[in-house]
């Protein structure tokens, strides 16, 4: 069961999945750490996941980490669906910066390991809040769909795409969070 992760310097940033858990649960169709050519830095990158503890990747097959985008494998994903967009879309949307050319997860891995970059931390945490916090649009939407279908919080048949997206953002819905949100609504 996921546990809320707390950061003393950013108490309002409370994912409940570690970077390692995000990948071990099956995420990004195996494509996140693929080789890329960044339009932001004009550099090519590969094996960037090797910057992080080897234990994070121990036992994970390479195809869960470095698969090319055109070979995205939704079967790897916990909920068996394809979600996400291309690196080019992220770059055009100004979601990528020079510090973390792979995007949010690269930032989260580094943040989780202790790196602090105040402006970037605030920007990325604001993005996370908009998606996965107790007031985040995807989290609230998922809870609304569960209520509408009159089912339980852990019924994975309710919007696997939203659930997979939330997992990519370091969050899995818990009974506690579901119950709190339901009380707010009623």
């Amino acid at each position: 069961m996921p546990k809320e992760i707390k950061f003393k310097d950013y108490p309002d940033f409370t994912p409940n999945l570690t970077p390692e858990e995000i990948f071990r649960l099956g995420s990004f169709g195996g494509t996140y750490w693929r080789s890329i050519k960044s339009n932001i830095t004009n550099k090519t990158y590969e094996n960037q996941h090797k910057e992080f503890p080897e234990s994070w990747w121990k036992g994970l097959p390479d195809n869960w980490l470095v698969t090319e985008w055109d070979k995205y494998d939704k079967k790897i994903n916990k909920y068996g669906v394809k979600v996400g967009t291309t690196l080019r879309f992220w770059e055009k949307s100004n979601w990528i910066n020079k510090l973390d050319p792979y995007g949010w997860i690269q930032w989260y891995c580094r943040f989780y390991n202790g790196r602090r970059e105040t402006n970037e931390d605030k920007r990325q945490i604001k993005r996370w809040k908009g998606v996965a916090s107790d007031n985040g649009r995807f989290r609230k939407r998922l809870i609304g769909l569960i209520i509408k279908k009159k089912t339980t919080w852990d019924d994975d048949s309710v919007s696997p795409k939203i659930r997979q997206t939330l997992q990519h953002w370091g969050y899995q819905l818990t009974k506690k969070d579901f119950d709190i949100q339901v009380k707010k609504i009623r």
Side-chain angles (χ1 to χ4, degrees):
M1 178 118 153
K3 287 186 184 176
E4 189 173 82
I5 299 165
K6 300 201 182 240
F7 299 96
K8 279 186 180 180
D9 47 348
Y10 290 95
D12 54 345
F13 177 50
T14 55
N16 63 10
L17 296 174
T18 67
E20 178 182 355
E21 289 169 328
I22 291 168
F23 287 95
R24 289 203 177 274
L25 286 168
S27 295
F28 309 104
T31 68
Y32 195 81
W33 297 111
R34 70 194 178 279
S35 297
I36 64 166
K37 168 73 169 89
S38 170
N39 286 338
I40 305 300
T41 66
N42 292 315
K43 294 181 183 175
T44 299
Y45 298 91
E46 61 181 36
N47 294 316
Q48 294 295 293
H49 62 292
K50 292 185 177 182
E51 157 189 346
F52 305 107
E54 196 174 306
S55 61
W56 288 10
W57 321 119
K58 188 174 181 164
L60 287 179
D62 282 348
N63 68 317
W64 279 44
L65 301 170
V66 296
T67 298
E68 292 301 317
W69 175 256
D70 62 351
K71 293 184 177 142
Y72 186 112
D73 185 356
K74 68 182 183 181
K75 291 180 289 205
I76 289 170
N77 290 347
K78 175 178 168 93
Y79 299 99
V81 294
K82 183 176 182 178
V83 297
T85 57
T86 66
L87 177 63
R88 298 300 164 240
F89 180 85
W90 298 346
E91 289 174 340
K92 287 177 186 170
S93 298
N94 293 317
W95 296 340
I96 303 291
N97 72 20
K98 290 181 180 187
L99 284 173
D100 305 302
Y102 278 77
W104 190 85
I105 289 294
Q106 186 177 35
W107 169 83
Y108 181 42
C109 290
R110 289 172 169 169
F111 182 89
Y112 185 84
N113 270 358
R115 184 192 78 182
R116 295 298 184 265
E117 296 285 341
T118 304
N119 291 337
E120 185 60 8
D121 297 345
K122 288 178 182 177
R123 182 181 82 88
Q124 294 289 15
I125 290 169
K126 181 179 178 183
R127 292 181 64 224
W128 178 86
K129 286 180 181 179
V131 172
S133 71
D134 59 347
N135 204 32
R137 66 188 178 279
F138 283 87
R139 184 162 150 184
K140 285 171 63 174
R141 176 77 175 133
L142 177 59
I143 291 169
L145 290 169
I146 293 167
I147 292 168
K148 184 177 180 180
K149 291 196 176 205
K150 298 180 181 175
T151 188
T152 59
W153 68 275
D154 57 350
D155 180 351
D156 290 350
S157 72
V158 178
S159 197
K161 286 191 171 192
I162 291 177
R163 289 177 188 274
Q164 188 71 45
T165 298
L166 286 168
Q167 180 177 296
H168 290 185
W169 284 85
Y171 179 79
Q172 273 188 348
L173 184 63
T174 65
K175 182 176 183 342
K176 177 185 171 190
D177 289 348
F178 178 77
D179 291 344
I180 289 169
Q181 194 70 29
V182 168
K183 284 179 185 174
K184 288 180 184 178
I185 295 169
R186 295 187 175 151

